[in-house]
């Protein structure tokens, strides 16, 4: 029921760089272990947990991921993720929290990692989540992501009213974010829900979008 995600704007939308489908980061345990080893992570004491010397102290590779209690899908995915990480010598604890408490921690930037579910927008504005102005406490750039080129493109996109030109700017933002991996995009629905009431009769789609009908917006 899911596809591998690669964009914060909806991987099949007109605002996402479709060419990234050919460059997706694959699951490769051996390559992951080799990369960790090249960066100093190894099991020096035989306890099956990777460790490294950080600030002069041997530190095990352990962290906690926060998950919203309202997201059953995220909870299930994190259990699978935990098992895969353990194969590489990494210990991940899962902490399930009510959303209000989780949001408070996010805004305080007081976490190791977090699993989040995002909904899309027909006219996305990446400023609130991805611009470095929103790194400050209270902003929605929870992971303190900063890329000067992304910041510049976000401001350009906010000023661009030609939807096709704006889409090209957002595609560049998509590519840069995917390269930097401040978020690891996991999956998104492989379908869309459209609801109709049997009492409503209409010969056409009743909601007129500003720039594109529904099917052109989301499907190739």
């Amino acid at each position: 029921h899911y596809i591998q995600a690669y964009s914060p704007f909806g991987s099949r939308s007109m605002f996402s760089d479709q060419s990234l489908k050919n460059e997706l980061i694959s699951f490769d345990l051996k390559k992951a272990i080799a990369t960790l080893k090249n960066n100093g992570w190894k099991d020096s004491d035989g306890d099956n947990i990777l460790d490294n010397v950080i600030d002069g102290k041997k530190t095990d590779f352990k962290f906690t991921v926060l998950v919203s209690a309202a997201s059953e899908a995220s909870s299930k995915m994190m259990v699978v993720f935990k098992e895969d990480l353990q194969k590489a010598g990494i210990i991940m604890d899962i902490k399930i929290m009510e959303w209000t408490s989780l949001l408070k921690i996010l805004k305080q930037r007081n976490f190791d990692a977090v699993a989040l579910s995002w909904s899309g927008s027909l006219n996305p504005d990446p400023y609130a989540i991805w611009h470095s102005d929103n790194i400050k406490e209270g902003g929605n750039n929870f992971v303190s992501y900063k890329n000067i080129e992304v910041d510049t493109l976000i401001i350009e996109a906010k000023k661009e009213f030609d939807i096709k030109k704006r889409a090209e700017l957002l595609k560049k933002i998509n590519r840069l974010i995917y390269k930097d991996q401040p978020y690891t995009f996991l999956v998104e629905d492989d379908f869309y829900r459209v609801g109709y009431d049997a009492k409503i009769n209409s010969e056409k789609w009743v909601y007129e979008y500003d720039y594109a009908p529904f099917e052109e917006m989301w499907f190739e």
Side-chain angles (χ1 to χ4, degrees):
H1 298 295
Y2 295 94
I3 62 170
Q4 186 173 347
Y6 55 85
S7 170
F9 311 128
S11 298
R12 291 171 296 183
S13 83
M14 65 182 292
F15 302 111
S16 298
D17 187 342
Q18 303 295 326
S19 67
L20 284 170
K21 289 187 291 188
N22 302 317
E23 305 172 34
L24 296 180
I25 299 171
S26 61
F27 179 78
D28 189 328
L29 184 61
K30 290 182 178 180
K31 186 175 179 180
I33 293 173
T35 300
L36 288 163
K37 185 177 181 180
N38 290 337
N39 284 274
W41 291 97
K42 58 184 178 180
D43 181 12
S44 65
D45 52 12
D47 62 355
N48 295 319
I49 302 174
L50 297 179
D51 56 75
N52 203 346
V53 177
I54 300 176
D55 296 329
K57 181 181 179 181
K58 184 175 80 68
T59 304
D60 286 338
F61 202 144
K62 295 181 178 180
F63 69 96
T64 299
V65 61
L66 308 181
V67 183
S68 170
S71 179
E72 183 180 354
S74 292
S75 298
K76 289 180 178 180
M77 281 189 281
M78 288 304 103
V79 171
V80 176
F81 192 31
K82 176 184 176 74
E83 294 172 353
D84 285 334
L85 287 174
Q86 197 163 1
K87 295 174 185 177
I90 298 170
I91 303 300
M92 182 183 81
D93 294 322
I94 302 171
K95 185 175 182 180
I96 299 176
M97 305 180 66
E98 293 302 321
W99 174 246
T100 52
S101 299
L102 176 56
L103 184 60
K104 182 179 179 180
I105 290 176
L106 288 176
K107 290 187 176 295
Q108 293 173 342
R109 312 293 190 261
N110 186 25
F111 61 92
D112 296 330
V114 61
L116 295 173
S117 299
W118 293 100
S119 58
S121 169
L122 289 175
N123 194 3
D125 180 1
Y127 178 78
I129 298 173
W130 301 105
H131 197 284
S132 61
D133 282 353
N134 291 299
I135 290 175
K136 59 184 180 295
E137 186 174 332
N140 290 330
N141 188 345
F142 301 131
V143 296
S144 301
Y145 175 65
K146 184 175 182 178
N147 182 316
I148 300 301
E149 188 175 356
V150 170
D151 283 353
T152 300
L153 288 168
I154 287 173
I155 299 303
E156 288 183 21
K158 288 177 75 70
K159 298 177 180 178
E160 181 56 69
F161 290 95
D162 183 303
I163 194 63
K164 292 183 178 180
K165 292 179 179 178
R166 188 168 185 272
E168 292 305 311
L169 293 170
L170 292 182
K171 286 178 183 178
K172 292 179 181 179
I173 292 171
N174 176 193
R175 174 166 285 277
L176 288 167
I177 289 175
Y178 191 78
K179 179 182 178 181
D180 290 341
Q181 289 288 303
Y183 281 45
T184 296
F185 301 106
L186 296 176
V187 295
E188 60 188 65
D189 289 341
D190 192 26
F191 58 88
Y192 297 97
R193 299 184 184 94
V194 179
Y196 290 96
D197 190 301
K199 298 178 182 178
I200 299 176
N201 294 309
S202 177
E203 295 180 357
K204 64 177 182 179
W205 180 251
V206 295
Y207 195 100
E208 294 183 0
Y209 297 110
D210 293 338
Y211 45 81
F214 182 80
E215 65 272 15
E216 290 180 8
M217 183 66 192
W218 292 105
F219 296 100
E220 298 178 9

